[in-house]
Amino acid sequence: MLNHIRNIYCVGRNYAQHAAELGNAVPDYPLFFMKPTHALIAMEGQMLQLPSNQGEIHYEAELVLHIGKSYVEGITVDELVDQIALGIDFTLRDLQDELKKKGHPWLAAKGFLKSAPIGPFRPFLGEEAAKHIDFSLRKNGVEVQRGNISGMIFHLQAIVDYCAATFGLGEGDLIYTGTPAGVGTVANGDQFLLYWGSEPAGECSILMSDS
């Protein structure tokens, strides 16, 4: 499926507690950025190589929507999304802070190779059903993030409507919907496991390297 992904949209600051932990203001509308498709990689228990020479890298666990058909006005998110997955938005935080101070785009901090690992897809049973299931991230066996879409500032319908109206939205697009509180640093050898409820939903380990 990953070979057929078209656009990777990402929503920033979509959980109030996460915005607060980074000292960011809560936005008035969905704050979108993008990652190149080259950033996308399946989480299959393998070692992922991330850069070690560009400052701190942070993990951000997120629910990811897979768009199953072209958006038309009035379509519901339940009709539009056919599958979901969990993913990690890896962020070069020091670089992002530097870019923000200069008023530059975030691409170098958010879109580097392997910065968008994603677990296996599963059928989307609807927005209301998803509110009854938490997602979580464990780092080296310890839970570091837990979220639920009911805690989003901008819910799924608002996200897809805004994305479609502003950028376009069609079959094969992905939307990383934002991360809850608990973001932290990545170190060499870290193991990350994602869970959808109690079900494993993606796994990888980290190799920090300059090459």
Side-chain angles (χ1 to χ4, degrees), residues 60 85 102 104 117 123 135 170 190:
E60 301 184 9
K102 295 178 178 179
H104 292 173
F135 65 92
D190 280 346

Side-chain angles (χ1 to χ4, degrees), residues 127-204:
E127 185 168 12
E128 287 305 314
K131 290 179 180 179
H132 295 283
I133 303 175
D134 288 354
F135 65 92
S136 60
L137 176 66
R138 297 180 190 176
K139 173 186 172 185
N140 302 326
V142 178
E143 184 176 297
V144 289
Q145 286 189 281
R146 176 171 289 269
N148 187 291
I149 66 168
S150 61
M152 289 180 169
I153 298 169
F154 303 102
H155 295 288
L156 302 185
Q157 187 67 51
I159 289 171
V160 298
D161 288 343
Y162 185 90
C163 184
T166 309
F167 310 109
L169 192 59
E171 182 179 357
D173 290 342
L174 295 182
I175 303 179
Y176 278 64
T177 58
T179 194
V183 166
T185 57
V186 177
N188 188 53
D190 280 346
Q191 181 189 45
F192 291 99
L193 292 95
L194 290 161
Y195 285 85
W196 178 245
S198 60
E199 299 178 16
E203 177 182 357
C204 69

Side-chain angles (χ1 to χ4, degrees), residues 29-140:
Y29 51 85
L31 180 61
F32 273 89
F33 60 93
M34 297 186 71
K35 288 177 179 271
T37 54
H38 296 292
L40 195 66
I41 185 169
M43 295 179 69
E44 299 175 331
Q46 78 276 42
M47 187 78 71
L48 296 186
Q49 184 174 319
L50 298 180
S52 63
N53 58 352
Q54 298 187 56
E56 285 190 352
I57 297 178
H58 283 191
Y59 56 81
E60 301 184 9
E62 312 201 6
L63 176 72
V64 184
L65 308 180
H66 179 269
I67 306 303
K69 61 181 67 175
S70 294
Y71 182 95
V72 293
E73 187 174 353
I75 194 171
T76 68
V77 68
D78 290 1
E79 297 169 318
L80 185 67
V81 175
D82 60 350
Q83 298 183 83
I84 58 172
L86 297 181
I88 300 177
D89 167 17
F90 282 127
T91 303
L92 287 163
R93 189 69 71 196
D94 292 338
L95 179 57
Q96 184 190 34
D97 290 343
E98 180 182 339
L99 292 170
K100 286 162 64 175
K101 288 177 183 177
K102 295 178 178 179
H104 292 173
W106 298 354
L107 181 59
K110 286 286 194 177
F112 57 96
L113 287 172
K114 302 176 184 176
S115 64
I118 191 168
F121 287 91
R122 64 187 66 223
F124 180 52
L125 302 180
E127 185 168 12
E128 287 305 314
K131 290 179 180 179
H132 295 283
I133 303 175
D134 288 354
F135 65 92
S136 60
L137 176 66
R138 297 180 190 176
K139 173 186 172 185
N140 302 326

